[in-house]
Amino acid sequence: SRNLPRKQRNGATSDQKVFICCGGYPDFKAAMLRRGWFQNEDKDSRHFDLKWAMASNMDHDHLQDFQAVNHFDRNREITTKVGLTRNLRASAWHSGKEASEFYPRAFDLYDPGERAEFVLDFKHSKAEAILHGFVEDLSFGADVTFSHDVISAALKICMRTVTDPEEVMDCSPMAEDLGSVPNKEWDLLSKVNLDDPAK
């Protein structure tokens, strides 16, 4: 066997599979030993059939065909929220579907532009929640609901969010305000308690 010399050097018999386990994982180690595998204690060794470790402890470039590891190379592209979000957004040209059609809103808060989008989305969501609450209060005949000023500000914000840009492109001030939340309106809405309109 092409692996016989290295197995003998590490103390394994010729028919034993060799594993490396970096970190804790006592259950994994016990399960492998019960199955007759030999544990190579040298975490940096290239002599193994299976290596169980953090992705940062993997050298994917030097793996041989018979070796297996518990992480795909560059798996962050699909196993982190940021990686998955970016890839789904980029796949629109290929799939013909925008990620927003099937994937929840998500933002990379390390990116200044996306952080600003998140803040704006939060403000839009608050305005929408106020209007939903107002309609619900009316349908149940609530004695107290949000003030006229609060409803007016929330309605303006939501109208700017859903207005088609083509409808206002000839009016520069309206076109520039689309999707915006002026400080004056946010100062008012930020103080609103959605659970208790009277506060």
Side-chain angles (χ1 to χ4, degrees):
S1 165
R2 61 184 170 168
N3 304 322
L4 183 57
R6 70 155 171 103
K7 286 187 176 182
Q8 290 173 335
R9 279 198 306 273
N10 286 283
T13 62
S14 61
D15 61 341
Q16 270 187 307
K17 295 278 192 179
V18 177
F19 76 96
I20 293 176
C21 182
C22 300
Y25 312 110
D27 293 335
F28 171 77
K29 290 179 189 174
M32 298 307 288
L33 293 170
R34 272 197 315 271
R35 287 168 172 76
W37 285 59
F38 178 83
Q39 181 175 4
N40 181 349
E41 299 283 353
D42 181 357
K43 312 281 194 245
D44 299 319
S45 172
R46 291 192 182 161
H47 303 300
F48 62 87
D49 295 286
L50 170 64
K51 184 171 185 177
W52 194 275
M54 299 289 288
S56 57
N57 296 118
M58 300 292 180
D59 182 5
H60 289 92
D61 294 333
H62 294 97
L63 287 178
Q64 298 182 51
D65 291 343
F66 67 89
Q67 292 179 313
V69 293
N70 64 312
H71 286 285
F72 291 106
D73 194 17
R74 297 184 57 187
N75 67 23
R76 294 178 57 81
E77 294 295 322
I78 59 170
T79 61
T80 65
K81 190 173 181 182
V82 169
L84 182 61
T85 299
R86 286 181 179 161
N87 281 290
L88 287 176
R89 287 177 185 164
S91 71
W93 68 270
H94 178 70
S95 65
K97 286 264 190 203
E98 292 294 330
S100 59
E101 295 178 40
F102 61 88
Y103 184 69
R105 291 178 301 215
F107 305 90
D108 178 1
L109 298 183
Y110 288 104
D111 179 290
E114 289 206 30
R115 189 166 51 248
E117 285 181 39
F118 168 75
V119 170
L120 188 60
D121 184 76
F122 178 82
K123 293 175 179 180
H124 287 157
S125 296
K126 178 88 180 257
E128 187 178 332
I130 288 169
L131 293 182
H132 278 295
F134 175 64
V135 170
E136 193 172 271
D137 288 345
L138 290 180
S139 66
F140 287 110
D143 294 331
V144 179
T145 190
F146 302 102
S147 72
H148 178 271
D149 289 344
V150 167
I151 296 302
S152 177
L155 189 56
K156 287 177 185 175
I157 291 169
C158 288
M159 286 300 294
R160 285 194 296 268
T161 303
V162 299
T163 297
D164 186 342
E166 290 186 11
E167 293 178 10
V168 294
M169 66 174 28
D170 294 330
C171 179
S172 294
M174 288 180 72
E176 290 170 8
D177 283 347
L178 285 184
S180 69
V181 179
N183 288 339
K184 184 178 178 182
E185 292 173 357
W186 181 244
D187 286 344
L188 179 62
L189 297 196
S190 65
K191 297 177 179 70
V192 171
N193 183 328
L194 293 171
D195 296 320
D196 187 355
K199 287 188 177 178

